[in-house]
Amino acid sequence: MTARPAVSKLLAVVGASIASLALAACGGGSEGTDTAADASDSSGALSHVHGLGVDPADGRVYVATHTGVYTVTKAGKPKLVGDSRDDFMGFTVTGENTFVASGHGAEGSDRPGNVGLIETKDAGRTWTSRSLSGEADFHSLDSAKGTLYGYEGGRIRVSSDLKSWEDRATLEALDLAVSPAGDKLLVTTADGVAASTDGGRTFGKGAEPVQAYLSWPAEKSLFGIDPSGKLSGSADGGKTWKQHATVPGGQPQALTAVDADHVLAATQDGVYESVDGGKTFTELAPLAS
């Protein structure tokens, strides 16, 4: 697959770093999967991170990658959850032991090239197809107030039951985040962060700073990470930003904030955690080079 148009435009602003990430992310499960899996198994390092999350049931950190979903801790080697080696793309935690995701079936599996929307209710051990199997590849997913928002095929798609979808705005974006109240949707674009107040039907113009990924765990705690790995926070829904710290490892691959203090970020060389609102970070797990 080729990089999405949004990524290509973002490159014009910030250079080639995001393009390489997008191309790796879009690679699917049929090429390079075994090599990446072998690297993870042999070195204890993850590869190609596409999503991060924390299960509210037990506080475990989950990492969605090109070769499956892993749990990570500071004290141990990343551990594959279940036996799926699928390429997990869009990924978000929606409840205790409950995650939704998208991506590509692993080479040799019985899953399609585009798995559509899948869901687990046992913390990633098993996954069930919910909709759009064989059709859709969501690269970003987020939820609020029982509604799931996704970015797929250059458009915003919305579902309240994980089965039927309403297509809304068509635009070039890289990531999305919905407010905890569900009344505002943000996307990252080449021009900056663009906002929608009508559920993703229409968006205003993008406003700087340019961010690569967003996460919005509380109304007054919105986080963004730019293409160089600089983390910022906003207390007013993205109108103004305050820079916190640069996450080690530079170019980002994923960002998830659990609350105002607990922030997870994946960069080129590792998965990092902050427990002080993004002021400082420590490594949870390395990434294979």
Side-chain angles (χ1 to χ4, degrees), residues 45-113:
L46 302 168
S47 178
H48 296 292
V49 174
H50 300 149
L52 299 163
V54 172
D55 189 344
D58 56 15
R60 287 179 183 265
V61 175
Y62 287 80
V63 183
T65 80
H66 188 60
T67 59
V69 175
Y70 292 77
T71 56
V72 297
T73 63
K74 291 180 181 178
K77 181 178 176 180
K79 183 178 179 181
L80 181 69
V81 180
D83 59 3
S84 173
R85 290 289 191 181
D86 291 345
D87 179 8
F88 283 81
M89 297 297 300
F91 175 87
T92 192
V93 174
T94 56
E96 291 190 357
N97 301 313
T98 305
F99 321 148
V100 293
S102 190
H104 313 285
E107 183 178 11
S109 75
D110 59 358
R111 288 170 290 279

Side-chain angles (χ1 to χ4, degrees), residues 27-209:
S30 61
E31 186 174 339
T33 300
D34 293 339
T35 300
D38 291 343
S40 293
D41 288 344
S42 62
S43 68
L46 302 168
S47 178
H48 296 292
V49 174
H50 300 149
L52 299 163
V54 172
D55 189 344
D58 56 15
R60 287 179 183 265
V61 175
Y62 287 80
V63 183
T65 80
H66 188 60
T67 59
V69 175
Y70 292 77
T71 56
V72 297
T73 63
K74 291 180 181 178
K77 181 178 176 180
K79 183 178 179 181
L80 181 69
V81 180
D83 59 3
S84 173
R85 290 289 191 181
D86 291 345
D87 179 8
F88 283 81
M89 297 297 300
F91 175 87
T92 192
V93 174
T94 56
E96 291 190 357
N97 301 313
T98 305
F99 321 148
V100 293
S102 190
H104 313 285
E107 183 178 11
S109 75
D110 59 358
R111 288 170 290 279
N114 290 335
V115 301
L117 186 77
I118 56 177
E119 182 183 38
T120 177
K121 293 188 176 181
D122 55 12
R125 294 175 183 84
T126 60
W127 293 85
T128 301
S129 175
R130 291 300 182 213
S131 55
L132 302 175
S133 179
E135 302 175 31
D137 171 23
F138 289 92
H139 279 218
S140 183
L141 291 164
D142 200 7
S143 66
K145 300 294 183 181
T147 299
L148 184 66
Y149 297 80
Y151 182 72
E152 191 273 333
R155 57 194 167 177
I156 301 296
R157 309 188 74 174
V158 181
S159 178
S160 59
D161 60 6
L162 309 187
K163 297 177 183 179
S164 58
W165 293 85
E166 180 184 343
D167 293 346
R168 296 186 179 174
T170 298
L171 74 169
E172 296 178 347
L174 180 60
D175 191 30
L176 63 79
V178 60
S179 68
D183 59 353
K184 190 173 183 179
L185 185 65
L186 302 178
V187 294
T188 58
T189 76
D191 298 319
V193 178
S196 171
T197 56
D198 58 8
R201 294 174 179 85
T202 61
F203 284 84
K205 293 182 179 180
E208 292 187 346

